[in-house]
Amino acid sequence: MSDKTLDAVVIGAGVAGLYQLHQLREQGLDVRAFDTASGVGGTWYWNRYPGAKFDSEAYIYQYLFDEDLYKGWSWSSRFPGQSEIEEWLNYVADALDLRRDISFDTTITSAVFDEDTNRWTVTTDSGETIDTQYLVTCCGMLSAPMADLFPGQSDFSGEIFHTARWPRDGVELSGKRVGVIGNGATGIQVIQTIAEQVDQLTVFIRTPQYALPMKNPSYGPDDVEAYKARFDELRENLPNTFTGFEYDFDVAWADLTPAQRRERLEADYENGSLKLWLASFAEIFSDEEVSEEVSEFVREKMRARLQDPELCELLIPSDYGFGTHRVPLESGYLEVYHRDNVQAVPVRNNPIARIVPEGIVLEDGTLYELDVIVMATGFDAGTGALTRIDIRGRDGRSLREDWGRDIRTTMGLMVHGYPNLLTTGAPLAPSAALCNMTTCLQQQTEWISDAIGYLRANGKSVIEPTEEGQDAWVAHHDELADANLISKTNSWYVGSNVPGKPRRVLSYVGGVGAYRAATLEAAAAGYKGFSLS
Ligand code: NA7
């Protein structure tokens, strides 16, 4: 006998979970959301490290289902920081009166499907059990930190923090010797922010990044009014672009002269956003020559800023193409390395061997003495949030074991063998990586709500993808993914940052608009590729 019976359990109270909870409650379901955190926000609750901010323009990183909700919030700049984003999600939770149906400080530890009752038994870390018909995971695709990586970590005599577990009260860094491991989107934000505060900053660099300078103007009342006036246009356009951003690929490389290409690249670079990556030339993902030309354009920009040949060698990528993994935006990041108190240490050929009480030791025995270590070492993306829960489907099968062999889903929304388990931000959908997250998560949660509404309207209670339906989606996904240069570059986009993780491009790369059309077509055809009972 369970402690509680519900129609739906939502795991997570971030961007997806809040909206999913709202939608299912509006449909009249008895639904509750659960979150490990003490407040709403998901990613924006946890990632409170120094310098955490958007790389999506704020006005597109909003819910578009309710005009009043959209217009009731005003951003202070184009790319605001974590605290403002967390405040916005609290505003949403209050406006929709969601808190009364969320259990905070509660981690879901297991979920077991009962084939006799067609219901899930969900267990929390306090031992509470919940009997539910639907289990909807809104756990975030970047929420399982890669935090325990080096032998000796627990022996460190200073303080050590993963960026996604940064203390709420902050960390005193001034006057300290600080080491940062990792220079992905997160590491770059940390490094450029703390360089001035700390006594000494040592950055351990394994793979350099193509970095694009961010232009981040503050917004006055006129700017806010101007973007709010575009609400209808944004609502219409965002779900149909390639990546859910407002800009899109609109010209073919082959149709332009070299001078015109250069002009376009310069203009997109000057935009100070991700436009150069997500809306310059789609061929950067498929054509090695175009990829090399655009990569060289970015390298040239970086060389002009870095100047010092040694720094150029260390900080400018040469062995993978621009945009084949997440491109970070930065503000003065490269110039940080000109400071006297900053040292970049290459660790590709001389890796970090262990952490000792005094600091970090490389394979050749060099010791870097430190007071604080910042692990900007990323996440077990897409799968990690779910495989860290013991999820059991039909015949007791384990999602952890299944995905440990081969990462398969149906449109990133369901997994064969796991009836009534509905997923957001999961692999094989754009929301696993390559999109403006709010665009994709709104679309996925709406699809899930519609599917549950359809079942209820038609006297059904179970939905599960067929094996053939799933095989067809995986084959389609792989065909596109294998032709995309993303598949050739090591990063969390292909799971290569997690030892033993099966390699597969996590994100669907056919485009946000095309993905949306495919999911809607399946639904319109009576949930083609799914069995309903
Ligand atoms: P990322 O992009 O996965 O970056 C992790 C960084 O940590 C990256 O530079 C890694 O180098 C580095 N890393 C990881 N393990 C090691 C070891 N053992 N030694 C040295 N360096 C290491 O995570 P982020 O948090 O920056 O970004 C994740 C996403 O969040 C981002 O893409 C945005 O979408 C938001 P590597 O490249 O593996 O050589």
Side-chain angles (χ1 to χ4, degrees):
M1 191 57 189
S2 298
D3 299 319
K4 203 179 269 158
T5 301
L6 294 171
D7 295 324
V9 161
V10 174
I11 312 180
V15 167
L18 292 177
Y19 185 32
Q20 190 75 77
L21 172 62
H22 172 66
Q23 290 177 79
L24 295 179
R25 205 171 64 178
E26 290 288 292
Q27 278 188 32
L29 266 73
D30 195 2
V31 52
R32 193 159 188 83
F34 295 81
D35 201 303
T36 304
S38 304
V40 301
T43 282
W44 300 107
Y45 173 91
W46 292 108
N47 286 273
R48 48 186 70 246
Y49 59 83
K53 62 166 57 155
F54 275 151
D55 276 353
S56 292
E57 289 79 357
Y59 57 86
I60 64 158
Y61 198 100
Q62 264 184 275
Y63 297 103
L64 292 164
F65 67 91
D66 181 325
E67 189 166 353
D68 289 340
L69 186 71
Y70 183 89
K71 292 189 173 172
W73 180 261
S74 303
W75 296 108
S76 68
S77 63
R78 189 186 191 195
F79 298 108
Q82 176 273 333
S83 63
E84 190 171 335
I85 305 164
E86 191 186 11
E87 270 176 49
W88 160 63
L89 285 162
N90 276 277
Y91 151 80
V92 170
D94 291 335
L96 302 176
D97 188 21
L98 297 174
R99 262 177 248 281
R100 63 188 159 90
D101 290 315
I102 305 174
S103 297
F104 294 109
D105 302 303
T106 307
T107 299
I108 303 299
T109 53
S110 74
V112 179
F113 185 72
D114 182 328
E115 292 187 63
D116 294 329
T117 60
N118 283 326
R119 295 179 68 87
W120 286 90
T121 300
V122 173
T123 305
T124 73
D125 55 348
S126 66
E128 186 187 19
T129 55
I130 303 130
D131 170 76
T132 182
Q133 186 174 359
Y134 301 105
L135 177 59
V136 188
T137 64
C138 299
C139 307
M141 53 16 141
L142 290 162
S143 57
M146 295 295 288
D148 193 12
L149 287 179
F150 304 103
Q153 251 178 252
S154 56
D155 301 334
F156 183 53
S157 62
E159 296 178 292
I160 184 163
F161 303 101
H162 188 279
T163 45
R165 290 294 177 271
W166 203 259
R168 281 190 81 82
D169 297 335
V171 180
E172 183 52 64
L173 295 175
S174 55
K176 303 265 176 71
R177 297 165 303 173
V178 179
V180 177
I181 307 174
N183 56 314
T186 301
I188 283 177
Q189 291 185 338
V190 173
I191 293 159
Q192 68 193 16
T193 305
I194 67 172
E196 279 183 9
Q197 302 162 19
V198 304
D199 180 35
Q200 283 170 40
L201 178 61
T202 310
V203 183
F204 298 88
I205 298 202
R206 192 165 65 180
T207 309
Q209 295 279 339
Y210 293 98
L212 297 181
M214 169 188 277
K215 284 191 178 155
N216 188 14
S218 297
Y219 283 164
D222 291 349
D223 304 299
V224 169
E225 202 179 309
Y227 79 67
K228 286 184 183 174
R230 295 176 53 218
F231 174 78
D232 287 334
E233 177 198 329
L234 294 172
R235 180 152 68 174
E236 179 64 25
N237 290 348
L238 294 181
N240 297 306
T241 62
F242 190 74
T243 50
F245 281 70
E246 64 179 332
Y247 31 72
D248 211 350
F249 300 111
D250 57 7
V251 63
W253 179 265
D255 291 346
L256 301 187
T257 65
Q260 288 170 325
R261 291 171 190 155
R262 178 79 195 194
E263 201 180 318
R264 175 63 185 252
L265 293 174
E266 292 284 1
D268 286 349
Y269 183 85
E270 281 306 312
N271 192 267
S273 67
L274 293 176
K275 199 167 180 210
L276 185 77
W277 178 32
L278 304 176
S280 61
F281 296 101
E283 294 86 347
I284 61 170
F285 294 109
S286 56
D287 183 323
E288 301 263 11
E289 278 180 30
V290 177
S291 168
E292 177 51 29
E293 273 202 50
V294 176
S295 300
E296 187 49 31
F297 170 83
V298 180
R299 289 185 205 120
E300 194 185 296
K301 297 285 185 194
M302 293 177 74
R303 276 195 289 270
R305 289 170 62 189
L306 282 169
Q307 293 177 356
D308 177 324
E310 259 182 56
L311 285 179
C312 288
E313 178 68 26
L314 181 55
L315 294 168
I316 300 179
S318 57
D319 60 356
Y320 67 93
F322 169 74
T324 58
H325 71 71
R326 170 66 148 78
V327 175
L329 294 180
E330 49 80 30
S331 307
Y333 165 70
L334 296 178
E335 288 72 15
V336 156
Y337 294 96
H338 293 145
R339 296 177 61 90
D340 290 340
N341 69 333
V342 177
Q343 182 187 12
V345 176
V347 293
R348 172 167 289 189
N349 300 322
N350 182 20
I352 296 172
R354 62 190 178 278
I355 292 178
V356 294
E358 301 80 21
I360 290 176
V361 177
L362 305 189
E363 204 170 74
D364 71 356
T366 313
L367 166 68
Y368 291 88
E369 292 190 23
L370 299 165
D371 303 310
V372 178
I373 297 175
V374 179
M375 307 261 299
T377 42
F379 303 87
D380 182 355
T383 53
L386 297 186
T387 56
R388 290 181 188 191
I389 302 171
D390 188 12
I391 297 178
R392 303 275 167 174
R394 285 193 194 284
D395 314 317
R397 75 184 70 188
S398 151
L399 192 63
R400 184 181 301 153
E401 288 168 17
D402 282 352
W403 280 358
R405 284 186 288 271
D406 193 11
I407 301 167
R408 303 174 80 78
T409 74
T410 303
M411 298 177 167
L413 288 162
M414 295 200 76
V415 184
H416 174 68
Y418 299 82
N420 287 0
L421 172 70
L422 295 132
T423 54
T424 64
L428 281 64
S431 62
L434 203 60
C435 75
N436 175 42
M437 290 309 291
T438 41
T439 308
C440 294
L441 294 175
Q442 281 178 95
Q443 190 266 324
Q444 287 197 311
T445 54
E446 286 169 5
W447 190 94
I448 288 169
S449 296
D450 288 349
I452 291 175
Y454 182 91
L455 292 173
R456 285 159 62 88
N458 289 279
K460 313 266 188 201
S461 56
V462 183
I463 181 168
E464 181 186 353
T466 62
E467 193 159 16
E468 306 74 57
Q470 182 154 295
D471 288 348
W473 182 256
V474 174
H476 168 62
H477 169 95
D478 283 355
E479 191 186 341
L480 297 180
D482 292 347
N484 194 302
L485 296 176
I486 286 175
S487 64
K488 301 194 166 43
T489 296
N490 283 340
S491 83
W492 67 264
Y493 270 20
V494 295
S496 61
N497 64 323
V498 180
K501 186 165 175 171
R503 190 179 180 105
R504 175 166 265 133
V505 174
L506 291 175
S507 184
Y508 178 70
V509 292
V512 167
Y515 168 81
R516 176 171 174 266
T519 62
L520 293 179
E521 269 167 34
Y527 292 88
K528 187 162 179 274
F530 297 81
S531 72
L532 275 48
S533 56

